[in-house]
């Protein structure tokens, strides 16, 4: 439209429509969105991905909404820079944008930092690149070698694979692959640019559900049919068939043509789950986790954004995928601490999943045999609904749990298995059944000290002892990864052969077991003994198929698995988690021990669990032995209520850290002085954190405690905003903290 305008050197919009300006949120930790001009004739909508200039760079961001129309408000049009171009990719859904805002608000993070989590695969926004692959075509090579034969074997079934994948699977160099291409044995083929996602078949039928399962499944189906937001706690004992129930809810959602997200605490351990899903629906879901290769990440992200991925199972970051029509979220093992992200944007994936469900107006199911107190109280308050499965499937009984009082039963010397446990192990193994020994300590020994001078080997970067890993001959810090070859002499007093290992780790327990049961096939499982999800899957399969009789493991083996031949669980140190001043120590220990005990007796044979403890009268041990979960949780609830602790009160932690101790102390003091002074707010600290040195950074903590219903996030943000501190100091805000280290 030609509009009359005055001719001046400066742009002047008098009398004509001013150019449109929009807010663009950039995936950077900035305080807010920036305004940009929309170039004439560009069709730009909220949610579009756009490339914009920032300083000398070009950055891809998301159009967040209309900018101010008033040319005098904020930055004048003439100083605004235009959007460079729109990215030809599906835009970000409104619900995702609102989720970013809410999450940023709740966690006191900048919206840009949250946006970055939703844009974790920038390459996925680019048009798909053709993917080259090779397949067997021509005659066999004139000269056959072992390496060449392996390549032919890999491609024998008529499949085609990209060159690097062939080289990896056949364990050959890329030169071998190229050689076969030159000879004409392999031929180039074009793979589809997008991932082919097999469609789960919701019409397939699953197991015949028990009456209890049917009731629960029907309740979930009704919620899905009704639509709208609801949170349901699926509370059922270990082996009750909860998974089978929520698979029904997934089927109902797929029947509506909508997407499903299943959040699990640790994706590396889901091999059995994936197998079950595939059996149930005839196609695997898409997995999402940090170990995915870059190509797979890009393809998965695109498949979700295009709505072709129907079911995603993933760790907490799967919450930030670009679903087009998410219809159901399931959080399995909802009580698990692994859902809390402790770095960067600090958030609890279970709680944020509930937020996502409410923004998207969809149902969410939280499943657990040991629901968190938070979720149980939400049920009592009527915020969440609940469904119960009180019995194990197929009439299997819950394991019998007994305490072994180590005050009278402890073995002599540096040994960790009580005679009672050894007898039970002998009986179980003789019956051809499996034994799991649980000790939540990686490595050989948690502490090495010098017999001569008492020196303890400590990490130079952290307030932590170095853990001996005898298998690798090294001492290692479990916080920062610092390692040291195990010294011959004490680094402090130089005494030779004076260093001794104190306390047990799984490796040391393995040694003891080897001596007692030299002929029994045994497997040691800890996060550092398994290389990646495939190794984990193979190990779990070996156990499930009975290839080993004795399993020694840390918490990674305690969760969710179904081992039909396992009938005895021995907990080496049931008291381990009760140390320290964490408000959830008892609850978490109960959950962990209940889960690990729940691995036993899940099929035909009755299971048993022995808890080695120095405190058999402790409420946690008593609750486990008597099976009175609800009574224990009621006691926990009353204790928390009396102290105004979560979920009855709110906590926000501030963690001040930096390399300069004086700066950290000063900042913590300044924060202490600027703390909000209100009747309903209590401030604890500043005080040095229990981990007062972590990865070379000094740390101080403050804790804000307030009543439920107070906007603790806003209070904390305003509080920190009042204090100026050096750039080198970091102040992290942890809303609803789960770690107090
Ligand atoms: P949970 O998730 O409550 O621990 P699962 O869903 O893993 O329990 O079920 C335990 C075992 O029982 C699994 O091996 C599962 O395949 C099997 N199962 C569950 N429901 C049924 C059913 N209705 N009929 C037969 N087997 C079932
Ligand atoms: Zn360290």
């Amino acid at each position: 439209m030609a509009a009359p305008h005055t001719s001046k050197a400066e742009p002047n919009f008098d009398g004509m429509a001013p150019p449109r300006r929009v807010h663009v949120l950039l995936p950077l930790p900035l305080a807010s969105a920036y305004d940009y001009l929309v170039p004439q004739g560009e069709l730009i909508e909220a949610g579009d991905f756009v490339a914009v200039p920032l300083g000398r760079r070009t950055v891809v961001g998301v159009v967040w909404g209309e900018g101010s129309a008033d040319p005098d408000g904020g930055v004048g049009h003439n100083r605004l820079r235009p959007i460079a171009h729109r990215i030809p990719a599906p835009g970000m859904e409104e619900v995702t944008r609102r989720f970013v805002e809410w999450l940023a608000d709740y966690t006191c993070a900048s919206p840009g930092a949250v946006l970055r989590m939703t844009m974790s695969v920038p390459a996925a926004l680019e048009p798909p690149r053709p993917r080259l692959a090779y397949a067997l075509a021509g005659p066999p090579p004139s000269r056959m070698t072992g390496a060449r034969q392996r390549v032919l074997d890999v491609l024998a079934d008529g499949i085609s694979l990209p060159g690097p994948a062939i080289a990896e699977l056949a364990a050959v160099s890329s030169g071998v692959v190229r050689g076969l291409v030159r000879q004409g044995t392999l031929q180039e083929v074009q793979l589809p640019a997008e991932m082919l996602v097999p469609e789960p078949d919701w019409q397939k039928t699953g197991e015949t559900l028990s009456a209890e399962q049917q009731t629960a499944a029907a309740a979930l189906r009704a919620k899905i049919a009704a639509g709208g937001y609801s949170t349901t706690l699926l509370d059922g004992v270990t082996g009750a068939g909860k998974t089978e129930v929520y698979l029904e809810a997934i089927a109902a959602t797929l029947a509506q043509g909508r997407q499903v997200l299943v959040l699990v605490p640790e994706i590396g351990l889901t091999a059995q789950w994936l197998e079950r899903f595939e059996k149930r629906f005839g196609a695997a879901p898409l997995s999402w986790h940090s170990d995915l290769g870059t190509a797979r990440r890009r393809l998965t992200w695109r498949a979700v954004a295009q709505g072709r991925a129907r079911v995603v199972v993933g760790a907490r970051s799967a919450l930030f995928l670009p679903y087009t029509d998410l219809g159901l979220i399931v959080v399995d093992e909802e009580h698990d601490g692994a859902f809390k992200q402790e770095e960067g944007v600090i958030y609890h994936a279970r709680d944020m999943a509930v937020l996502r469900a409410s923004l998207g107006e969809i149902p969410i199911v939280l499943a657990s045999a040991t629901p968190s107190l938070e979720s149980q109280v939400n049920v009592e308050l009527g915020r969440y609904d609940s469904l119960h499965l009180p019995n194990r499937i197929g009439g299997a009984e819950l394991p019998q749990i007994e305490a072994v009082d180590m005050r009278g039963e402890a073995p002599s010397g540096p040994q960790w298995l009580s005679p009672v446990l050894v007898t039970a192990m002998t009986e179980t193994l003789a019956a051809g059944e499996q034994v799991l020994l649980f000790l939540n300590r990686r490595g050989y020994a948690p502490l090495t000290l010098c017999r001569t001078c008492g020196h303890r080997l400590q990490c130079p970067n952290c307030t932590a002892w170095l853990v001996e890993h005898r298998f690798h001959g090294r001492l290692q810090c479990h916080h920062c990864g610092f390692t040291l070859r195990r010294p011959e002499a004490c680094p402090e007093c130089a005494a030779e052969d004076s260093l001794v290992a104190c306390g047990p780790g799984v490796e040391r327990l393995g040694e003891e077991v080897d001596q007692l049961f030299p002929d029994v096939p045994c497997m040691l499982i800890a996060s550092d003994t398994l290389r990646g999800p495939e190794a984990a899957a193979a190990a779990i399969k070996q156990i499930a198929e009975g290839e080993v009789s004795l399993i020694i493991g840390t918490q990674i083996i305690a969760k969710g698995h179904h081992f039909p031949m396992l009938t005895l669980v021995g907990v080496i140190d049931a008291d381990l988690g009760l140390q320290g001043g964490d408000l959830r120590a008892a609850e978490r220990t109960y959950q962990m021990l209940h889960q690990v005990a729940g691995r036993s007796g899940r099929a035909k044979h009755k299971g048993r669990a022995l808890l080695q403890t120095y405190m058999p009268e402790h409420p946690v041990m008593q609750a486990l032995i008597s099976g009175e979960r609800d009574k224990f949780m009621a006691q926990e609830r009353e204790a928390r209520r009396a102290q105004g602790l979560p979920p009855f009160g709110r906590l926000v932690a501030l963690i001040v850290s930096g390399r300069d101790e004086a700066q950290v102390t000063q900042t913590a003091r300044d924060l202490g002085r600027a703390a909000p002074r209100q009747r309903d707010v209590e401030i604890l600290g500043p005080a040095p954190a229990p981990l007062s040195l972590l990865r070379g950074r000094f740390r101080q903590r403050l804790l804000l405690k307030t009543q439920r219903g107070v906007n603790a996030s806003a209070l904390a943000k305003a509080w920190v905003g009042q204090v100026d501190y050096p750039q080198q100091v970091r102040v992290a805000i942890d809303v609803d903290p789960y770690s107090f280290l």
Side-chain angles (χ1 to χ4, degrees):
M1 182 174 50
H5 57 87
T6 52
S7 53
K8 274 192 197 169
E10 291 267 299
N12 186 316
F13 303 109
D14 283 348
M16 67 179 261
R20 189 174 154 217
R21 49 196 283 175
V22 289
H23 295 313
V24 176
L25 188 63
L26 302 175
L28 300 166
L30 305 166
S32 66
Y34 287 172
D35 272 11
Y36 286 89
L37 293 179
V38 176
Q40 280 259 302
E42 276 274 8
L43 281 175
I44 297 273
E45 287 180 17
D48 283 348
F49 289 97
V50 290
V52 296
L54 182 74
R56 291 178 191 185
R57 291 191 288 161
T58 298
V59 181
V60 174
V62 176
V63 176
W64 218 249
E66 295 301 312
S68 156
D70 173 16
D72 300 323
V75 185
H77 287 318
N78 47 355
R79 274 184 285 145
L80 278 187
R81 300 171 77 181
I83 287 171
H85 61 271
R86 183 183 166 276
I87 311 280
M92 182 175 280
E93 298 286 328
E94 200 205 333
V95 61
T96 310
R97 283 181 274 134
R98 287 181 56 214
F99 182 48
V100 167
E101 280 172 358
W102 274 82
L103 197 145
D105 241 18
Y106 190 86
T107 60
C108 302
S110 72
V114 180
L115 179 70
R116 187 161 54 192
M117 300 197 289
T118 69
M119 291 175 62
S120 61
V121 198
L125 292 171
E126 288 159 21
R129 280 166 284 163
R131 293 188 296 153
L132 280 191
Y134 297 96
L136 281 185
S142 46
R143 193 174 56 83
M144 187 58 90
T145 63
R148 286 177 164 180
Q149 186 58 52
R150 287 202 297 279
V151 171
L152 300 199
D153 291 346
V154 161
L155 297 174
D157 290 333
I159 54 171
S160 43
L161 286 169
I166 299 174
E168 194 188 326
L169 288 170
V172 301
S173 70
S174 55
V176 174
V177 178
R178 278 199 303 272
L180 288 168
V181 173
R182 264 196 310 275
Q183 295 224 2
T185 310
L186 299 188
Q187 200 173 47
E188 202 175 284
V189 290
Q190 201 95 319
L191 287 183
E194 302 282 10
M195 179 161 40
L196 299 174
V197 188
E199 186 97 347
D201 179 4
W202 56 268
Q203 281 169 312
K204 271 186 72 143
T205 48
E207 303 275 3
T208 309
L209 299 185
S210 69
E212 272 174 8
Q213 283 176 314
Q214 269 177 35
T215 310
L220 292 180
R221 269 198 301 266
K223 281 172 189 282
I224 287 156
Y229 160 74
S230 60
T231 300
T232 307
L233 181 64
L234 182 56
D235 174 2
V237 296
T238 50
K242 296 184 288 297
T243 311
E244 223 61 45
V245 169
Y246 73 65
L247 288 177
E248 291 304 306
I250 293 176
T253 309
L254 291 175
Q256 294 180 335
R258 306 187 76 183
Q259 292 170 306
V260 178
L261 164 63
V262 181
L263 285 178
V264 292
E266 264 155 291
I267 190 82
L269 303 169
T270 50
Q272 281 188 328
W273 190 94
L274 293 172
E275 230 169 78
R276 263 170 85 177
F277 185 96
E278 191 163 352
K279 209 170 129 214
R280 174 70 178 78
F281 294 113
L286 292 190
S287 296
W288 183 259
H289 53 89
S290 50
D291 282 336
L292 284 185
T294 45
R296 185 122 196 124
R297 284 178 91 71
R298 186 165 48 80
L299 293 169
T300 305
W301 202 92
R302 289 184 69 83
V304 175
Q306 293 162 351
R308 293 185 298 113
R310 310 303 310 286
V311 181
V312 176
V313 55
R316 51 192 184 228
S317 60
L319 256 181
F320 302 99
L321 287 172
Y323 304 96
T324 52
D325 189 15
L326 191 59
L328 172 71
I329 304 177
V330 176
V331 182
D332 205 354
E333 312 287 2
E334 68 91 27
H335 63 277
D336 201 296
F339 284 120
K340 185 76 195 286
Q341 158 102 17
E342 300 281 6
E343 309 263 304
V345 176
I346 302 176
Y347 67 93
H348 198 299
R350 175 201 59 217
D351 298 345
M352 294 307 109
V354 171
L355 169 66
R356 175 66 180 76
S358 91
L359 290 174
E361 296 173 26
I362 57 170
I364 176 168
V365 178
L366 311 178
S368 175
T370 51
S372 62
L373 187 60
E374 276 75 6
S375 294
Q376 293 193 22
V377 168
N378 276 323
V379 169
E380 283 163 28
L381 293 175
R383 296 186 180 170
Y384 296 177
D385 300 324
S386 73
L387 294 169
H388 285 270
L389 295 175
N391 299 302
R392 277 190 162 179
I393 205 77
E397 281 176 74
L398 282 168
Q400 183 186 335
I401 303 181
E402 300 152 51
V404 178
D405 188 345
M406 296 298 272
R407 288 171 302 197
E409 291 284 350
S412 55
Q415 286 170 350
W416 321 103
L417 298 172
S418 62
V420 182
L421 181 51
V422 172
T423 306
M425 289 169 71
T426 310
E427 287 167 8
T428 305
L429 294 169
E433 294 164 8
Q434 283 172 322
V435 177
L436 166 65
L437 296 179
F438 172 73
L439 175 62
N440 210 7
R441 265 190 176 146
R442 290 188 280 138
Y444 185 83
L447 168 65
T448 303
L449 65 73
C450 172
R451 237 191 315 244
T452 311
C453 72
H455 177 66
R456 297 158 176 214
L457 291 180
Q458 190 130 26
C459 175
N461 313 317
C462 306
T463 318
W465 295 333
L466 292 174
V467 178
E468 181 178 359
H469 287 250
R470 190 160 286 190
F471 188 67
H472 299 292
R474 301 192 79 87
L475 299 168
Q476 193 190 328
C477 171
H478 284 180
H479 294 285
C480 72
F482 172 87
T483 78
L484 186 72
R485 179 165 271 299
R486 190 180 196 274
E488 299 289 328
C490 170
E492 191 71 13
C493 73
E496 299 269 338
D497 291 325
S498 181
L499 295 176
V500 283
C502 293
V506 282
E507 287 181 17
R508 194 172 196 180
L509 186 60
E511 240 177 46
E512 187 176 343
V513 164
D514 259 357
Q515 279 161 13
L516 288 167
F517 303 96
D519 303 322
V520 175
C522 177
M523 182 187 278
L524 201 154
I525 294 202
S527 56
D528 56 345
T529 68
L530 295 173
R531 291 217 186 102
E534 266 117 69
I540 305 260
K541 194 156 185 226
Q542 271 181 289
I543 301 172
E545 290 175 358
E547 283 176 40
V548 291
S549 305
L550 238 160
I551 304 109
I552 299 174
T554 60
Q555 47 96 18
I556 80 163
I557 200 67
K559 303 173 186 174
H561 309 293
H562 188 67
F563 302 133
M565 259 113 42
L566 181 69
T567 58
L568 175 66
V569 168
V571 175
I572 302 307
D573 185 353
D575 311 335
L576 196 55
L578 292 172
Q579 297 153 1
D582 189 327
L583 73 101
R584 294 185 185 83
E587 180 189 350
R588 268 211 287 250
T589 303
Y590 176 84
Q591 287 161 341
M592 169 68 76
L593 297 182
H594 185 92
Q595 286 290 335
V596 67
R599 292 318 103 211
S600 90
R602 288 170 64 99
K604 292 190 282 294
H605 308 287
K606 175 142 174 96
R608 204 178 160 199
L610 294 178
L611 313 177
Q612 299 193 147
T613 172
Y614 285 88
M615 313 184 260
E617 67 292 329
H618 192 285
V620 168
M621 306 307 154
Q622 288 299 319
L624 288 161
I625 295 162
S626 65
E628 291 179 306
R629 180 194 90 179
D630 293 342
K631 187 173 141 205
F632 167 72
M633 288 303 274
Q635 285 167 359
E636 271 295 295
R637 186 185 55 210
E638 288 324 305
R640 298 243 199 116
R641 194 200 299 276
Q643 297 172 62
L645 288 171
F648 301 100
R650 305 267 335 259
L651 296 178
V652 180
L654 302 188
I655 302 110
V656 185
S657 69
R659 294 192 180 274
D660 183 323
E661 190 171 12
Q663 283 183 344
V664 170
T665 312
Q666 188 57 47
T667 305
R669 244 186 243 145
D670 292 348
L671 281 164
R673 267 196 288 272
R677 266 166 249 288
Q678 288 172 221
R679 204 158 33 84
D680 51 357
V681 172
E682 197 184 324
I683 304 292
L684 302 153
L691 262 169
S692 59
L693 184 66
L694 179 63
R695 295 185 206 106
R697 299 175 71 89
F698 294 91
R699 300 167 81 245
Q700 295 250 343
R701 296 184 69 104
L702 297 103
L703 192 66
L704 180 154
K705 189 176 161 200
T706 175
Q707 283 150 15
R708 196 172 173 141
V710 171
N711 186 341
S713 305
L715 255 174
K717 202 167 172 180
W719 175 16
V720 175
Q722 279 175 20
V723 176
D724 280 324
Y725 50 88
Q727 244 192 332
Q728 302 92 310
V729 173
R730 202 183 303 147
V731 179
I733 305 180
D734 183 356
V735 179
D736 306 332
Y738 278 69
S739 165
F740 297 87
L741 292 176

